[in-house]
Coordinates of all heavy atoms in Angstrom, one line a residue:
K1073 N 6.0 -2.7 8.5 CA 4.8 -3.5 8.8 C 3.8 -2.6 9.7 O 2.7 -2.5 9.3 CB 5.2 -4.8 9.6 CG 4.0 -5.7 9.8 CD 4.4 -7.0 10.4 CE 3.3 -8.0 10.4 NZ 2.2 -7.6 11.3
A1074 N 4.3 -2.1 10.8 CA 3.4 -1.4 11.7 C 2.9 -0.1 11.1 O 1.7 0.3 11.3 CB 4.1 -1.1 13.1
I1075 N 3.8 0.5 10.3 CA 3.4 1.8 9.6 C 2.3 1.5 8.6 O 1.2 2.2 8.6 CB 4.6 2.4 8.9 CG1 5.8 2.6 9.9 CG2 4.2 3.7 8.3 CD1 5.5 3.5 11.1
I1076 N 2.4 0.5 7.8 CA 1.4 0.2 6.8 C 0.1 -0.3 7.4 O -1.0 0.1 7.0 CB 2.0 -0.8 5.8 CG1 3.3 -0.4 5.1 CG2 0.9 -1.2 4.7 CD1 3.2 1.0 4.4
E1077 N 0.2 -1.1 8.4 CA -1.0 -1.6 9.1 C -1.8 -0.4 9.7 O -3.0 -0.3 9.5 CB -0.6 -2.6 10.2 CG -0.2 -3.9 9.7 CD 0.2 -4.8 10.8 OE1 0.3 -4.4 12.0 OE2 0.5 -6.0 10.6
G1078 N -1.1 0.5 10.3 CA -1.8 1.7 10.9 C -2.3 2.6 9.8 O -3.4 3.1 9.9
V1079 N -1.6 2.8 8.7 CA -2.1 3.6 7.6 C -3.4 2.9 7.0 O -4.4 3.6 6.7 CB -1.0 3.7 6.5 CG1 -1.6 4.2 5.2 CG2 0.1 4.7 7.0
E1080 N -3.4 1.6 6.8 CA -4.5 1.0 6.3 C -5.8 1.1 7.2 O -6.9 1.3 6.8 CB -4.2 -0.5 6.0 CG -3.3 -0.7 4.8 CD -3.3 -2.0 4.2 OE1 -4.2 -2.3 3.4 OE2 -2.5 -2.9 4.5
E1081 N -5.5 1.0 8.5 CA -6.6 1.2 9.5 C -7.2 2.6 9.3 O -8.4 2.8 9.4 CB -6.1 0.9 10.9 CG -5.9 -0.6 11.2 CD -5.4 -0.8 12.6 OE1 -5.7 0.1 13.5 OE2 -4.8 -1.8 12.9
A1082 N -6.3 3.6 9.3 CA -6.8 5.0 9.1 C -7.5 5.2 7.8 O -8.5 5.9 7.7 CB -5.6 5.9 9.3
R1083 N -6.9 4.6 6.7 CA -7.5 4.7 5.4 C -9.0 4.2 5.4 O -9.9 4.8 4.8 CB -6.7 3.9 4.4 CG -7.1 4.0 2.9 CD -7.8 2.8 2.4 NE -7.6 1.6 3.0 CZ -6.7 0.7 2.6 NH1 -5.9 0.9 1.6 NH2 -6.6 -0.5 3.2
D1084 N -9.2 3.1 6.1 CA -10.5 2.5 6.2 C -11.5 3.3 7.0 O -12.7 3.3 6.8 CB -10.4 1.0 6.7 CG -9.6 0.1 5.8 OD1 -9.5 0.4 4.6 OD2 -9.2 -0.9 6.3
L1085 N -10.9 4.1 8.0 CA -11.8 4.9 8.8 C -12.1 6.2 8.1 O -13.2 6.7 8.3 CB -11.0 5.3 10.1 CG -11.1 4.3 11.3 CD1 -10.2 4.7 12.4 CD2 -12.5 4.1 11.8
Y1086 N -11.2 6.8 7.3 CA -11.4 8.1 6.8 C -11.4 8.1 5.2 O -10.3 8.1 4.6 CB -10.3 9.0 7.3 CG -10.2 9.1 8.8 CD1 -9.1 8.6 9.5 CD2 -11.3 9.5 9.6 CE1 -9.0 8.7 10.9 CE2 -11.2 9.6 11.0 CZ -10.1 9.1 11.6 OH -10.0 9.2 13.0
P1087 N -12.5 8.1 4.6 CA -12.6 8.1 3.1 C -12.0 9.3 2.5 O -11.7 9.3 1.3 CB -14.1 8.1 2.9 CG -14.7 7.6 4.1 CD -13.9 8.1 5.2
D1088 N -11.8 10.4 3.2 CA -11.2 11.7 2.7 C -9.7 11.7 2.7 O -9.1 12.7 2.3 CB -11.8 12.9 3.4 CG -11.6 12.9 4.9 OD1 -11.1 11.9 5.4 OD2 -12.0 13.8 5.6
L1089 N -9.1 10.6 3.1 CA -7.6 10.6 3.1 C -7.0 9.7 2.1 O -7.5 8.7 1.8 CB -7.1 10.1 4.5 CG -7.3 11.0 5.7 CD1 -6.7 10.4 7.0 CD2 -6.8 12.4 5.5
T1090 N -5.9 10.2 1.5 CA -5.1 9.4 0.6 C -3.6 9.4 1.1 O -3.3 10.3 1.9 CB -5.1 9.8 -0.9 OG1 -4.6 11.2 -0.9 CG2 -6.5 9.8 -1.4
F1091 N -2.8 8.4 0.7 CA -1.5 8.3 1.3 C -0.4 8.0 0.2 O -0.7 7.2 -0.6 CB -1.4 7.2 2.3 CG -2.4 7.4 3.5 CD1 -3.7 6.9 3.4 CD2 -2.0 8.0 4.7 CE1 -4.6 7.1 4.5 CE2 -2.9 8.2 5.7 CZ -4.2 7.7 5.6
D1092 N 0.7 8.8 0.3 CA 1.8 8.4 -0.5 C 2.9 7.8 0.4 O 3.3 8.4 1.4 CB 2.4 9.7 -1.1 CG 1.6 10.2 -2.3 OD1 0.7 9.4 -2.8 OD2 1.9 11.3 -2.8
L1093 N 3.3 6.6 0.2 CA 4.1 5.8 1.0 C 5.6 5.8 0.4 O 5.8 5.3 -0.6 CB 3.7 4.4 1.1 CG 2.2 4.2 1.5 CD1 1.8 2.7 1.5 CD2 1.9 4.8 2.9
Y1094 N 6.5 6.5 1.1 CA 7.8 6.6 0.7 C 8.8 5.5 1.3 O 8.8 5.4 2.5 CB 8.4 8.0 1.0 CG 7.7 9.1 0.2 CD1 6.5 9.6 0.6 CD2 8.4 9.7 -0.9 CE1 5.8 10.6 -0.2 CE2 7.8 10.7 -1.6 CZ 6.5 11.1 -1.3 OH 5.9 12.1 -2.0
G1095 N 9.5 4.8 0.4 CA 10.4 3.8 0.8 C 10.7 2.8 -0.2 O 10.5 3.0 -1.4
N1096 N 11.1 1.6 0.3 CA 11.5 0.5 -0.5 C 10.2 -0.2 -1.0 O 9.5 -0.8 -0.2 CB 12.3 -0.5 0.3 CG 12.8 -1.7 -0.5 OD1 12.1 -2.3 -1.2 ND2 14.1 -2.0 -0.4
P1097 N 9.9 -0.2 -2.3 CA 8.7 -0.8 -2.9 C 8.5 -2.2 -2.5 O 7.4 -2.6 -2.2 CB 8.8 -0.6 -4.4 CG 9.8 0.5 -4.5 CD 10.8 0.4 -3.4
D1098 N 9.5 -3.0 -2.6 CA 9.4 -4.4 -2.3 C 9.0 -4.7 -0.9 O 8.1 -5.5 -0.6 CB 10.7 -5.2 -2.6 CG 11.1 -5.2 -4.1 OD1 10.1 -5.1 -4.9 OD2 12.3 -5.2 -4.4
K1099 N 9.6 -4.0 0.1 CA 9.3 -4.1 1.5 C 7.9 -3.6 1.8 O 7.1 -4.2 2.6 CB 10.3 -3.4 2.4 CG 11.7 -4.1 2.3 CD 12.6 -3.3 3.2 CE 14.0 -4.0 3.2 NZ 15.0 -3.2 4.1
I1100 N 7.5 -2.6 1.1 CA 6.1 -2.0 1.4 C 5.0 -2.9 0.8 O 4.1 -3.2 1.5 CB 6.1 -0.6 0.8 CG1 7.0 0.4 1.5 CG2 4.6 0.0 0.9 CD1 7.1 1.8 0.9
K1101 N 5.2 -3.3 -0.5 CA 4.2 -4.2 -1.1 C 4.0 -5.5 -0.3 O 2.9 -6.0 -0.3 CB 4.7 -4.5 -2.5 CG 4.6 -3.4 -3.5 CD 5.1 -3.8 -4.9 CE 5.1 -2.6 -5.9 NZ 5.7 -3.0 -7.1
A1102 N 5.0 -6.0 0.3 CA 4.9 -7.2 1.0 C 4.0 -7.2 2.2 O 3.5 -8.2 2.6 CB 6.3 -7.7 1.5
V1103 N 3.7 -6.0 2.7 CA 2.8 -5.9 3.9 C 1.5 -5.2 3.6 O 0.6 -5.1 4.5 CB 3.5 -5.2 5.1 CG1 4.7 -6.1 5.6 CG2 4.1 -3.8 4.7
I1104 N 1.3 -4.7 2.4 CA 0.0 -4.1 2.1 C -1.0 -5.2 1.8 O -0.8 -6.1 1.1 CB 0.2 -3.2 0.8 CG1 1.0 -1.9 1.2 CG2 -1.2 -2.8 0.3 CD1 1.2 -1.0 0.0
T1105 N -2.2 -5.0 2.4 CA -3.3 -5.9 2.1 C -4.3 -5.4 1.1 O -5.0 -6.2 0.4 CB -4.0 -6.3 3.4 OG1 -4.6 -5.1 4.0 CG2 -3.1 -6.9 4.4
N1106 N -4.4 -4.1 1.0 CA -5.3 -3.4 0.1 C -4.7 -2.1 -0.3 O -4.5 -1.2 0.5 CB -6.7 -3.2 0.8 CG -7.7 -2.5 -0.1 OD1 -7.4 -2.1 -1.2 ND2 -8.8 -2.2 0.5
Q1107 N -4.4 -1.9 -1.6 CA -3.7 -0.7 -2.1 C -4.6 0.4 -2.4 O -4.2 1.5 -2.9 CB -2.8 -1.1 -3.3 CG -1.7 -0.1 -3.4 CD -0.6 -0.6 -4.3 OE1 -0.4 -1.8 -4.4 NE2 0.1 0.3 -5.0
D1108 N -5.9 0.3 -2.1 CA -6.8 1.4 -2.3 C -6.4 2.7 -1.6 O -6.1 2.7 -0.4 CB -8.2 1.0 -1.8 CG -9.3 2.1 -2.0 OD1 -9.2 2.7 -3.1 OD2 -10.1 2.4 -1.2
R1109 N -6.3 3.8 -2.4 CA -5.8 5.1 -1.9 C -4.4 5.1 -1.3 O -4.1 6.0 -0.5 CB -6.9 5.7 -0.9 CG -8.1 6.2 -1.6 CD -9.1 6.8 -0.6 NE -9.9 5.9 0.1 CZ -10.0 5.8 1.4 NH1 -9.4 6.7 2.2 NH2 -10.8 4.9 2.0

């Protein structure tokens, strides 16, 4: 949860960044609010 929230905040701040999120897809998808980049 905290990892994805922080990543999304950084993603929204920096248009030049993309992220590959490694882990359990079900747990990750459950906390993502916007999958852009």
Side-chain angles (χ1 to χ4, degrees):
K1073 188 175 187 295
I1075 306 300
I1076 302 305
E1077 287 177 355
V1079 165
E1080 290 201 82
E1081 288 182 22
R1083 186 259 331 269
D1084 294 342
L1085 276 176
Y1086 304 117
D1088 54 358
L1089 293 181
T1090 61
F1091 301 88
D1092 284 352
L1093 308 174
Y1094 289 79
N1096 183 311
D1098 294 332
K1099 293 181 179 180
I1100 295 172
K1101 287 177 183 177
V1103 292
I1104 289 178
T1105 59
N1106 175 3
Q1107 202 163 332
D1108 182 39
R1109 286 184 279 128

